[in-house]
Amino acid sequence: MTVRLTIAPGDHYDFEIKPFEAMTVADNIRINAPMPEGLAPLQEEQEVLQRYSNAPTRYIRYMKIHEVQAVLKHINEVTKAMQASDDALSKVKETIAKWEEEHEGKEWTREGAQEVLKSHGLFRDTITVEGKTFTAPLVEDGDYGQLLDLERQMHASKSEAESYVRALSIMMEGDDGKYPVQRDGESDTAYANRCDARSQERQRLFMAAPWIEVMGIAAFFFSRSQHFAAICGHNMKLLNSWLSPKTKREPIVIPSVGDLMQS
């Protein structure tokens, strides 16, 4: 649904109420931010309109009542599509909850996770945005420094959706090649700046990518790699909630000798 709000000739604002499958990560973050407390009914309607349209307040205030009602009706239809996605996520959780019971007491596995994600249309291992295609590699094939930077990005993240974007910016492989290796003679600062510039451009791209695809790839990484899940589990509470108490991801510590251990 595309709407043009016109205050005067040459003074208009166009916006689109996107279908759920076309909503970007940035849209998702804006729409699902906590609602301010104590709003009156019309103020709450205004908040919803501005979140979905991203229109300046002066255009929202100039809308006619019939326009508001038409847009809110369409938003309600989009919300129903969101609910269908939430239902799929709930079915994943339900499947996981019954896993051991239906598999002779065997614990939930990463292979099982992939199959369930596929069955509910939530599984992704590639994404294309602005004509650039990115592929999800095996985390364990990456360099240790990549995991160090992934952990650093998780500390900087403010929301689960943003965590997905930051994780993909570090982990995905694209036309710009694998994660940068520090050049001989390159200072630590210059190398860190080069990695950050690459990650920031990728974050911009993934913020503009469809939310359902970005979430699907984060789920792909989470279900395939213990290292990824251990680093990102606290930031990705939705994905972490799928795991049993025995497999939930907690912060890891590195002992003086031996393998990585759960804290």
Side-chain angles (χ1 to χ4, degrees):
M1 179 183 189
T2 302
V3 179
R4 167 166 287 191
L5 303 178
T6 302
I7 293 179
D11 184 7
H12 63 265
Y13 183 86
D14 296 334
F15 68 88
E16 178 187 8
I17 304 297
K18 298 177 184 177
F20 173 66
E21 60 273 13
M23 280 190 179
T24 66
V25 178
D27 294 331
N28 180 277
I29 291 173
R30 185 181 66 250
I31 290 169
N32 292 298
M35 190 70 72
E37 294 182 3
L39 294 182
L42 292 183
Q43 289 177 319
E44 190 166 328
E45 281 188 356
Q46 179 191 359
E47 183 74 19
V48 170
L49 287 167
Q50 290 195 274
R51 290 184 182 200
Y52 275 84
S53 69
N54 209 23
T57 301
R58 72 190 193 93
Y59 289 104
I60 297 295
R61 290 179 62 87
Y62 196 74
M63 291 177 73
K64 308 308 177 191
I65 293 175
H66 72 274
E67 292 177 321
V68 170
Q69 291 173 338
V71 172
L72 288 175
K73 181 179 179 181
H74 192 76
I75 288 173
N76 187 52
E77 294 301 315
V78 172
T79 303
K80 289 179 182 178
M82 289 182 181
Q83 184 60 51
S85 175
D86 289 342
D87 290 344
L89 295 175
S90 296
K91 287 176 182 176
V92 170
K93 288 187 69 172
E94 182 181 337
T95 301
I96 292 169
K98 296 179 179 178
W99 187 267
E100 292 189 18
E101 177 185 339
E102 297 178 354
H103 291 79
E104 300 178 347
K106 292 181 180 178
E107 192 172 303
W108 175 246
T109 65
R110 293 195 297 280
E111 292 76 14
Q114 291 178 50
E115 291 306 313
V116 174
L117 290 169
K118 284 181 181 178
S119 70
H120 292 291
L122 300 174
F123 183 89
R124 303 284 193 286
D125 59 3
T126 64
I127 190 169
T128 299
V129 56
E130 293 188 9
K132 299 178 180 179
T133 298
F134 299 87
T135 303
L138 288 173
V139 173
E140 278 66 19
D141 288 346
D143 297 330
Y144 181 57
Q146 195 171 4
L147 296 183
L148 289 171
D149 288 349
L150 174 64
E151 182 181 58
R152 181 165 56 86
Q153 290 291 348
M154 291 302 98
H155 281 294
S157 179
K158 295 182 175 63
S159 70
E160 180 152 358
E162 184 185 349
S163 294
Y164 298 165
V165 166
R166 287 178 176 272
L168 266 60
S169 76
I170 296 291
M171 303 308 303
M172 298 293 278
E173 290 185 359
D175 292 341
D176 51 359
K178 294 187 177 183
Y179 202 69
V181 175
Q182 190 168 3
R183 301 173 183 133
D184 185 25
E186 184 178 23
S187 71
D188 291 346
T189 299
Y191 173 62
N193 289 340
R194 185 159 60 92
C195 289
D196 283 346
R198 179 182 187 268
S199 295
Q200 286 172 16
E201 170 58 15
R202 283 166 157 238
Q203 287 174 33
R204 183 192 70 78
L205 287 171
F206 293 133
M207 275 289 182
W211 154 250
I212 192 66
E213 294 187 14
V214 170
M215 191 274 286
I217 290 179
F220 169 88
F221 279 127
F222 202 93
S223 66
R224 290 198 69 182
S225 170
Q226 286 183 324
H227 286 90
F228 182 89
I231 293 169
C232 302
H234 279 266
N235 296 66
M236 301 180 181
K237 293 180 180 178
L238 169 64
L239 305 185
N240 205 31
S241 71
W242 294 352
L243 302 178
S244 71
K246 289 186 288 185
T247 56
K248 269 189 170 57
R249 304 311 178 193
E250 302 295 342
I252 58 174
V253 295
I254 302 178
S256 56
V257 293
D259 296 329
L260 292 179
M261 299 175 61
Q262 297 288 339
S263 63

